[in-house]
Structures are given as C-alpha cells and as structure tokens.
Amino acid sequence: MHWKIKASLQKVLHFTKIGDQLNHIPATLKKNYHKNVCLYQFYECIRKFEASTIELNTTTKKSALEIGTGYSLIAPVVLYLLGFDAIVTVDISKDVSIKTFQKQIQYLNNDELLQAIVKQGKFNQSEIKEKLQQIQSFQTLEKLCAYCNITYIPKYTLSDIENTKKSYDYICSQVVFEHIPPTFLEALFKKMKTWLTKDGCAVHTINFIDHFANPGFFQDKNISEFNFLKYSDTTWKYWAGNDIAYTNRLSYVYYLELCEANKLQLINLVGENYRTHNPLPVEEIHPDIIKKYKQLSTIENVCKYQRGTLIFKK
C-alpha cells in the first residue's frame, strides 16, 4: 500500500475516540499474535536488562521505570520476576487489558524462558514458577499490579512519574522515543538525569526508520526505510502530524547530543541495521532534517542505523 494512503487513513482515525485501538487491529489479526507479543516483550526485556549495569540481590531493593507500556504488561511482569521490588510503567493512553494479558502470559510458562530469568535475576526457578502460577490466576489488572508491585500510569505526565517515586535504579523503553516530540524528549532526559540513582542505569531501544516502511499489511515496499527524511517539517506534519502516525525523524546522533547536554554518562550506543540497508543519498535529505542537530560530522550519519540501543548512567 502506498504510504500516503495509510497516512490518510491514520489522519481520519486520529479524529475518532478509539483511533489508536482501530489502528492496532490489523496487527492483532496476525497468526500467533499473542504468542509473538509475549516472546518479543520477553526477549527484549531480558536483552536490555543484560545490557545494563544493574545487579539484583536480596539485600538491596531496586525500582524500575518503563516508559511506554503499549498493549502488553509482559515486560513489567518480567521485571518483577527478575527481582525488582517496585515497577512503574507509563504510557500516553490506556491500552492494556487483563483479557489480553491472560492470552499472552501463558507463553511465559516455558522452562527455557524461566531459566533466562533465573540467570539474570534473584529468584530460583521454583520461586519464579510459583509466582507465575499466581500471576496467571488474577482476573483483574488491579490484583495483578498489586501482587507484582506494578504501578500502571496511562495518560502520564512527568510529574506523575516523579510523584510516584523520586528515584529509579533502572529506566527502560522499547521503540518508544521515536514517537516523542523533541521538546518532550529534552524535558524527559533532564528528568532522567535526576531520577537515576547513583548506580542506576537507563537502556532505551529506539527505531530510527520511517514506520510507513515497516512490515505488515499496510507496508509500502517501494520506499526506502529513510523515505521520511526527504520531506520538510511542514510537509511531514501534514501527512503524519497526528498522535497515531507521529515519529520525530531523529537519528541516533540526536540522542547522543541529549546525553551530552545533560551530562549523562554514555555507556554505549549499539547501532543496528536489521533489514536491507538503503540509506538516502545526501542530496535527498531535506535541510529541515539537518537543522535538528547541533552538529553533524557527516550528513550520512542520519541514515547510519535503523535501530539503536542507548545505554547511559547518571
């Protein structure tokens, strides 16, 4: 499907009360949707935690903040099973339901997955199995969250996060930051500097590509994964300037600049190209894109990575 057709449909959905849910329906129609969500959330949660510098033990309490709950509570539950004593998870809308969670959590009951939790966490396998059995029994989100010490905050503000807990040992997100406007990102990075504990660590995976090129029913297979860098801010706002389609079109360079501006200690930026890499020629990149950066050593850097995992400390 041509990306402008999908963009037009999302513009229409934007004006409905359940536009975000309707936009998500095609994804739910895929075979093994709930299994795939569970496994994706699990492996990405474990991968990010492994990349952190956090050590969990029975003597020191640890808290975690997940930015961007999405449609699944699997990641916060995995953080609980790893051994975090308090987990806060936030999002801009309320998309989690207990029925969806029950369909997903069953796929976590797998010895290989549980062993991965044991390897990284502070509980043994029998303890985790007992906890998982209890988690699977809950019929309401309230009981689930209370048992796992999860605070779920939909339609959050930065003040909501701060008022829930003043500090966090671990802050994470999964392909969320690309959907956040630069002004909010700047405020968020300033807050993360104050929220992180002395030995805390943040791990954020960010997708840098044009989401109209993402695989799926509505994928436009005829565009580069960096197609959106061709357009001015005004033109792109016309096509994708709504809460369903919005992406900030920022590369890894911008996030490194945010770390530097806030004197955050960069541990690593793991850049990835996980599909055929088709960077735009420099002459096709719009000047509005280049203006988003304080300094680009080479313009080609805005197309260098399709995805990156940013790891930093206070």
Side-chain angles (χ1 to χ4, degrees), residues 228-270:
F228 60 178
L229 302 185
K230 293 180 179 180
Y231 304 96
S232 69
D233 287 343
T234 300
T235 300
W236 196 251
K237 183 177 180 180
Y238 173 80
W239 287 108
N242 59 75
D243 58 3
I244 295 177
Y246 178 81
T247 55
N248 55 38
R249 304 195 292 162
L250 299 170
S251 80
Y252 78 99
V253 178
Y254 191 87
Y255 298 94
L256 296 183
E257 290 181 350
L258 282 176
C259 287
E260 183 178 358
N262 290 282
K263 294 181 171 59
L264 289 160
Q265 179 185 344
L266 180 68
I267 298 174
N268 203 359
L269 185 286
V270 183

Side-chain angles (χ1 to χ4, degrees), residues 55-62 83 85 122:
E55 292 185 9
L56 296 171
N57 54 60
T58 56
T59 58
T60 307
K61 290 188 175 183
K62 300 287 187 182
D85 301 279
K122 69 179 186 182

Side-chain angles (χ1 to χ4, degrees), residues 16-41:
T16 69
K17 291 183 178 180
I18 56 171
D20 188 51
Q21 290 91 326
L22 293 173
N23 183 65
H24 188 64
I25 286 175
T28 66
L29 300 178
K30 292 181 181 179
K31 186 179 180 181
N32 296 323
Y33 167 75
H34 292 293
K35 178 181 180 180
N36 292 338
V37 167
C38 178
L39 296 180
Y40 172 77
Q41 292 289 334

Side-chain angles (χ1 to χ4, degrees), residues 122-293:
K122 69 179 186 182
F123 301 120
N124 62 44
Q125 188 157 340
S126 63
E127 289 175 311
I128 292 173
K129 281 189 173 183
E130 184 179 337
K131 291 176 183 294
L132 188 57
Q133 185 177 17
Q134 187 65 46
I135 286 168
Q136 289 178 295
S137 72
F138 294 121
Q139 301 300 308
T140 67
L141 282 179
E142 289 75 18
K143 288 183 178 179
L144 168 67
C145 289
Y147 178 80
C148 297
N149 298 316
I150 294 172
T151 302
Y152 174 42
I153 309 176
K155 301 181 181 180
Y156 78 101
T157 65
L158 296 179
S159 295
D160 290 331
I161 295 174
E162 204 161 59
N163 292 336
T164 303
K165 280 191 70 65
K166 297 296 182 185
S167 62
Y168 298 89
D169 300 283
Y170 181 56
I171 304 176
C172 63
S173 67
Q174 181 66 26
V175 292
V176 170
F177 280 7
E178 68 266 25
H179 299 291
I180 299 179
T183 51
F184 193 90
L185 277 175
E186 290 172 8
L188 177 59
F189 270 68
K190 286 180 182 178
K191 286 294 186 183
M192 285 193 287
K193 172 74 173 182
T194 64
W195 292 339
L196 280 170
T197 59
K198 180 182 177 182
D199 297 319
C201 184
V203 185
H204 302 285
T205 298
I206 311 158
N207 197 317
F208 306 124
I209 73 170
D210 186 338
H211 284 28
F212 290 118
N214 278 347
F217 180 77
F218 294 105
Q219 178 188 14
D220 190 336
K221 296 181 180 179
N222 296 313
I223 60 173
S224 160
E225 71 270 30
F226 298 105
N227 179 68
F228 60 178
L229 302 185
K230 293 180 179 180
Y231 304 96
S232 69
D233 287 343
T234 300
T235 300
W236 196 251
K237 183 177 180 180
Y238 173 80
W239 287 108
N242 59 75
D243 58 3
I244 295 177
Y246 178 81
T247 55
N248 55 38
R249 304 195 292 162
L250 299 170
S251 80
Y252 78 99
V253 178
Y254 191 87
Y255 298 94
L256 296 183
E257 290 181 350
L258 282 176
C259 287
E260 183 178 358
N262 290 282
K263 294 181 171 59
L264 289 160
Q265 179 185 344
L266 180 68
I267 298 174
N268 203 359
L269 185 286
V270 183
E272 300 175 73
N273 290 309
Y274 56 91
R275 50 186 280 182
T276 303
H277 189 211
N278 294 307
L280 288 181
V282 169
E283 60 272 16
E284 292 188 28
I285 299 172
H286 197 278
D288 282 358
I289 297 300
I290 300 169
K291 288 190 298 185
K292 298 179 188 298
Y293 304 91

